[in-house]
Amino acid sequence: MKQKTCIPQGFPMGKVAYFVTSNVHKFLEARNVLSEYKLATAKLGVDAVEIQDPRLETIAKYSVLDAVKNCGLPVFVEDAGLFVEALEGFPGPYSKYVYNTVGVEGILKLMKNIANRNAYFMSVIAFASPDKQPVCFVGKVEGKLSLQMHGTLGFGYDPIFVPSEGDGRTFAEMATDEKNVYSHRAKALRTFAEWYSS
Ligand code: IMP
């Protein structure tokens, strides 16, 4: 008897992009964007060292080379940071450390009584394979830091980031597909997807 296949409607049947990340939110954002390009996204739990460096691109390139060394597959990684104008770009490439130590509350405390709330998120995707050196794709979103946390969706600094082109809501008040209209990561992913699917 012929076996019936159980492929959900709308499932991207094209090429697969392997995303090395432990962050399920990042994976869901990537899956949503890459499906627009008929790319399937696979989440790989491979070790990929994350160094400290003033440039996101250096961090992402180092990380993807380590991931390729550990799994022998063509993969991509993503590194992001929040850059606050009044804090001279802090926490920037140190966003993870700051989030894990003082958290969102720490940033709000630093920003107390500061009128200039301008900030941006930057995302760098690095792709590499056993026979290809890293290629990077960058995305950026401008916005403002809110005075308090709003919303429970997303992750990291999402509850305090209001994208300039949005309707005044923070990323944490948006579903994944809404955040993907504006976000730094979605922009980097779209540039990556154009290149990867061509
Ligand atoms: P990494 O790219 O995982 O190193 O992220 C650095 C830090 O920035 C982490 O602590 C995240 O919580 C935060 N971060 C990265 N991307 C986003 C985002 O899209 N929204 C909110 N916070 C983010």
Side-chain angles (χ1 to χ4, degrees):
M1 204 173 79
K2 225 179 164 189
Q3 285 269 316
K4 259 195 172 174
T5 49
C6 279
I7 296 164
Q9 230 187 353
F11 187 83
M13 297 291 292
K15 225 167 150 180
V16 179
Y18 296 96
F19 188 6
V20 173
T21 181
S22 56
N23 185 324
V24 73
H25 299 279
K26 285 190 179 187
F27 167 70
L28 293 174
E29 290 176 22
R31 191 178 65 173
N32 181 296
V33 171
L34 297 187
S35 71
E36 293 167 16
Y37 296 81
K38 305 268 181 277
L39 294 170
T41 311
K43 180 175 176 297
L44 281 192
V46 170
D47 282 342
V49 75
E50 203 175 314
I51 58 164
Q52 291 283 22
D53 191 89
R55 295 190 64 217
L56 293 181
E57 198 172 312
T58 312
I59 302 171
K61 277 184 176 171
Y62 199 95
S63 185
V64 79
L65 285 173
D66 193 47
V68 169
K69 196 177 81 192
N70 291 332
C71 69
L73 288 170
V75 297
F76 73 96
V77 303
E78 191 261 1
D79 202 69
L82 174 70
F83 297 76
V84 182
E85 193 172 285
L87 304 178
E88 311 291 342
F90 183 81
Y94 310 105
S95 294
K96 189 172 193 165
Y97 179 75
V98 170
Y99 182 80
N100 290 339
T101 50
V102 295
V104 175
E105 290 89 350
I107 294 291
L108 284 179
K109 254 191 213 160
L110 278 176
M111 291 299 290
K112 206 171 166 213
N113 300 325
I114 296 183
N116 175 5
R117 316 288 298 179
N118 294 340
Y120 66 87
F121 268 120
M122 177 91 94
S123 161
V124 177
I125 287 177
F127 171 89
S129 64
D131 56 3
K132 205 182 203 93
Q133 283 304 299
V135 188
C136 290
F137 306 87
V138 180
K140 183 178 175 182
V141 57
E142 302 274 359
K144 288 196 186 298
L145 297 184
S146 55
L147 294 170
Q148 293 160 11
M149 290 195 237
H150 296 285
T152 54
L153 304 171
F155 69 102
Y157 301 100
D158 278 349
I160 55 167
F161 189 82
V162 180
S164 299
E165 289 178 356
D167 58 7
R169 285 177 300 154
T170 66
F171 273 161
E173 295 176 291
M174 298 181 188
T176 303
D177 54 346
E178 284 182 286
K179 179 178 172 185
N180 279 346
V181 173
Y182 311 105
S183 93
H184 50 310
R185 183 165 304 103
K187 286 175 184 164
L189 282 163
R190 286 193 183 99
T191 327
F192 164 65
E194 301 257 351
W195 173 83
Y196 189 66
S197 56
S198 66

